[in-house]
Amino acid sequence: MANPRSLIYGLYTHWDTVEVLVRLSREFAVLTSDQVLGCIAKVSPQLDAEAQGGALRAMVNADILQPCARSSDLQLNAYVLDFVRGLTREHELGLAAVLQARVAAIREATEALNEGMQGADMDRVRGAANKLAELFRQISLQLDQDRHALLELAEDAKSADASMPIAQRYRHVLEAYDQYVEPMNQMMDTGPQGTFYRYLEDAERSLDLAFEQLSVQGGLYSHRLQLRQVAHQAKELRRFGRLIAQQCADTVLPLREEMRQHNALTSAVSMLLGQVRKRGLRRALSCPTGDTALPVWRNERGFRLQLGDEVRAVMAAARQYQPQSVTFPQDEPDNTPSLLEHVDESAIRAHLQRSLPVESLLDWLNTHHGHLQDATLLRLFHELQHDSAWLVEACEQPEKTTLQTIRILHHPHRVSFRE
C-alpha cells in the first residue's frame, strides 16, 4: 500500500500530467508507457527524455500509476481516478440502479430510527441518523456528478462534426436518457409510484418528531443537534434533487426531440424519393394522398405569366384595336328605408315631461311614437332612461312589448318627477 503523503505530494508535483491522464482514461482503460511519456512531453515540453522517464518512475513509485498484471502497461490508481475526476468534473455518468438502491436504503434507516425512538435506544437512533446523513451525502454527490456528466455528453454531441450521422452523434445522449434520465424521473415522480420524495418526506418527518421528542424528554444537546442537522440535509436534498432532475430533462429532452424530428424528416424524404423513382416526378408529386405528399417544409408558390404594357401596346397597334366605351350605370332609386331616421328628440322629451308619471317608458314610446323604426325606438328608450332630468325605476316583473317587427321581454321602467 502506498504512503498517503507520498501520493498527495506526487499529485501536487505532477498534477498537470495526472489531469491529462485522467481525461485520456475516458478512452483507454489501460495506458502504455509511450502514451504516458507522450502526455508528459505535452505538458512539459522543456523536459528531455531522461527527465520524462524520471517523472514516469516518480508517479509509479508514488502509486499514482500502477502496473497491470501480466503486462507492462499502466493504469491509474482507482482512488486517484475518482479524486481527480471529482475535482475536474470529469466523472462518468453513474448508474440509476445505484441511486435507486441508496434511496431504498433511506427507508430502512428511517425504520431503524423509528424503532430506536420507540424503544428509547439512543445508540440505535444515533446510528440511524449517521446512516441517513451518509446516504444523503452520497446521493447529493452522485446527483451533482451525474449532472455534470450529462452536460458533458450534451456538449460533446452538440460540438461533434456536422458531417457525422445524427444517430452516431446522439447515441450516447439517447442511451443516457433511456438508462438514467427516464428511471430517475420515475423515481422522483411526486405521485404514488415515485420513491425519492416519499422516502425523504418520511425520513424528514421522523427526524423532526425525534427532535421534538428529545426536546420534551430533555435529551442531550449533541443528540438533538445531530438530528436537526440531518433533517436540514433531508430538506436540502429534496430541493437539490428537484433542481437536478429539471436540469437533466431540460438538457437531454431537446436533443432527443431533435433526433426524433430528424428521423421523421429523413423517413419522409426517403419515402418521397422512392415514389419518384417508381412513378416518376410528375405522378409522384401530383398524387393527392397524404402518404406520398411532400413533407411539411414544402413551400407552395403559384406561377402566372403576364404580358407587359409595352407588349400590349405593340399588339394593340398592330391589330388596330379600339377599346369599347362602357357607360357606367346610373344610381337607381332605392325604396328601402334609411338606417338613420331623423327624430325630433327635444319634442319627444317635452311630450314625456308633460305626460309624467309614466308607468312603462317603452310602452309609452310605442303608443305615442309607434311610427318610428324599432331601432330608433329602442335607442330613444335607452337614452331617456339614463337621463338625469327625471327619476327612473325598473319594475321586478318582466313584461312583453310588441313593436313593428320584434317582440321585447323587458322590465318596465317607471318615469316620474325627481324630488
Side-chain angles (χ1 to χ4, degrees), residues 360-366 370 372-382 385 397-413:
S360 177
L361 177 59
L362 184 59
D363 293 335
W364 181 86
L365 288 173
N366 188 30
L372 299 176
Q373 299 180 15
D374 294 345
T376 304
L377 205 64
L378 292 176
R379 180 179 62 82
L380 291 174
F381 169 70
H382 286 288
Q385 72 175 347
Q397 298 297 329
E399 294 183 1
K400 293 182 179 180
T401 299
T402 303
L403 303 181
Q404 295 182 5
T405 58
I406 60 176
R407 179 180 298 171
I408 298 177
L409 178 63
H410 65 102
H411 293 269
H413 287 67

Side-chain angles (χ1 to χ4, degrees), residues 169-230:
R169 289 177 60 186
Y170 293 157
R171 182 178 68 250
H172 296 294
V173 177
L174 297 179
E175 291 177 356
Y177 183 85
D178 295 335
Q179 299 176 7
Y180 183 83
V181 177
E182 185 62 25
M184 188 175 68
N185 290 336
Q186 295 177 0
M187 181 181 61
M188 292 190 176
D189 187 11
T190 55
Q193 302 297 331
T195 58
F196 185 80
Y197 295 113
R198 182 153 51 91
Y199 291 168
L200 280 178
E201 288 176 356
D202 294 341
E204 180 183 345
R205 189 181 304 109
S206 299
L207 289 169
D208 291 338
L209 291 177
F211 176 78
E212 295 177 359
Q213 185 174 350
L214 289 181
S215 299
V216 173
Q217 296 175 357
L220 294 177
Y221 176 75
S222 60
H223 296 173
R224 289 181 290 161
L225 181 62
Q226 181 184 10
L227 293 176
R228 186 176 63 180
Q229 291 173 348
V230 178

Side-chain angles (χ1 to χ4, degrees), residues 92-104:
E92 298 286 346
L93 185 62
L95 298 177
V98 176
L99 187 60
Q100 293 175 353
R102 289 173 175 170
V103 172

Side-chain angles (χ1 to χ4, degrees), residues 25 27-32 35 66 68 71-76:
S25 65
E27 301 177 4
F28 302 96
V30 178
L31 305 175
T32 62
Q35 288 177 326
Q66 296 175 341
C68 297
S71 67
S72 59
D73 298 331
L74 301 172
Q75 64 180 1
L76 284 168

Side-chain angles (χ1 to χ4, degrees), residues 23-44:
R23 287 196 296 267
L24 188 62
S25 65
R26 298 172 67 94
E27 301 177 4
F28 302 96
V30 178
L31 305 175
T32 62
S33 300
D34 294 336
Q35 288 177 326
V36 177
L37 291 174
C39 293
I40 296 175
K42 180 179 179 182
V43 173
S44 303

